[in-house]
Amino acid sequence: MRVFSINTPLIVEMGNEDLKAIANAWPLLVGLLLLDGWGFVNLPEVTWAGVAYVLHKCPQLITLSLSLDTRIDDVALMTSLPSFRPNMHLRFLSITDSVLDEVEVFVHSLFAIAPLVVGIDGWGHESEMLEISVPMANASAFLDQVESLMWELRRTRMRDQFAFLDGYVRNEAEEMNPFSTHQPARRFPYNKGRDRRIMGFPA
């Protein structure tokens, strides 16, 4: 199987073991869409370790949609294994109604397992019973920060491919100089599409 998709309104209870079962059954997946557009409508039990397992076991995966609890920083359970390799094919990630917390944890975890993701969308989790630092209303701003930091990590850690991104950065001296002739720094090269944020390299 190449694409596994469930797209119907359900209340989902799914954890890392369920993701492992899917990945073990269909390691040639290029698309895994779990309630894409609906969300799990429940506090997610999936964590970064489960996502890392899927991306490692399904190295051809290009699009992934699921809900996870990003507060749990457990990605090292997978990335520390000698056999682990990051997924270099994943481009689009929809986190639907995930629980969002610290931008740094999100970016650190995602870059470690799928450094070339260029499109991230979702709307975040809403719960009156749970105190969440990134409420649903702020999810778009949160994901904008994630995408910008992902580009910065590529610029600094994958320079063989992304050195051109230096043209999108101004140094501190330029930022503080009111007489600088430099133009304002351009946004990193992605365009926000209606459903996905699509890579747009400069000409």
Side-chain angles (χ1 to χ4, degrees), residues 105-142:
V105 172
F106 192 111
V107 172
H108 159 77
S109 300
L110 181 57
F111 190 82
I113 59 180
L116 298 182
V117 170
V118 295
I120 309 171
D121 64 17
W123 55 89
H125 191 78
E126 183 177 44
S127 173
E128 296 179 357
M129 305 295 294
L130 183 66
E131 183 177 345
I132 300 173
S133 62
V134 182
M136 187 169 63
N138 297 338
S140 180
F142 178 91

Side-chain angles (χ1 to χ4, degrees), residues 13-192:
E13 292 186 3
M14 176 178 288
N16 290 344
E17 293 303 316
D18 301 301
L19 283 184
K20 289 180 180 180
I22 293 173
N24 290 335
W26 300 298
L28 298 180
L29 286 174
V30 296
L32 176 57
L33 308 173
L34 301 175
L35 285 299
D36 188 37
W38 297 98
F40 284 13
V41 198
N42 204 353
L43 185 63
E45 299 177 16
V46 173
T47 68
W48 285 114
V51 177
Y53 185 91
V54 169
L55 294 180
H56 172 67
K57 195 70 176 181
C58 305
Q60 299 178 48
L61 204 62
I62 297 173
T63 301
L64 176 63
S65 177
L66 47 63
S67 179
L68 72 152
D69 191 339
T70 69
R71 300 172 300 175
I72 302 175
D73 186 10
D74 61 355
V75 72
L77 294 176
M78 279 299 301
T79 58
S80 62
L81 298 177
S83 61
F84 180 81
R85 296 292 181 274
N87 183 305
M88 305 303 287
H89 286 90
L90 192 73
R91 295 295 183 271
F92 306 112
L93 174 65
S94 178
I95 57 168
T96 64
D97 58 349
S98 293
V99 176
L100 307 177
D101 192 39
E102 297 292 335
V103 171
E104 291 77 11
V105 172
F106 192 111
V107 172
H108 159 77
S109 300
L110 181 57
F111 190 82
I113 59 180
L116 298 182
V117 170
V118 295
I120 309 171
D121 64 17
W123 55 89
H125 191 78
E126 183 177 44
S127 173
E128 296 179 357
M129 305 295 294
L130 183 66
E131 183 177 345
I132 300 173
S133 62
V134 182
M136 187 169 63
N138 297 338
S140 180
F142 178 91
L143 295 179
D144 282 346
Q145 292 181 61
V146 168
E147 289 187 338
S148 292
L149 289 173
M150 288 288 288
W151 280 111
E152 179 62 17
L153 286 176
R154 294 185 196 107
R155 185 182 74 86
T156 56
R157 300 187 185 181
M158 304 175 71
R159 294 196 61 79
D160 56 328
Q161 301 175 57
F162 293 99
F164 73 89
L165 292 177
D166 288 347
Y168 291 79
V169 178
R170 294 178 65 187
N171 62 40
E172 186 176 355
E174 291 171 342
E175 292 287 353
M176 296 179 64
N177 181 3
F179 304 105
S180 174
T181 58
H182 289 276
Q183 296 296 317
R186 297 173 290 171
R187 290 179 64 85
F188 282 134
Y190 65 79
N191 300 316
K192 295 181 181 179

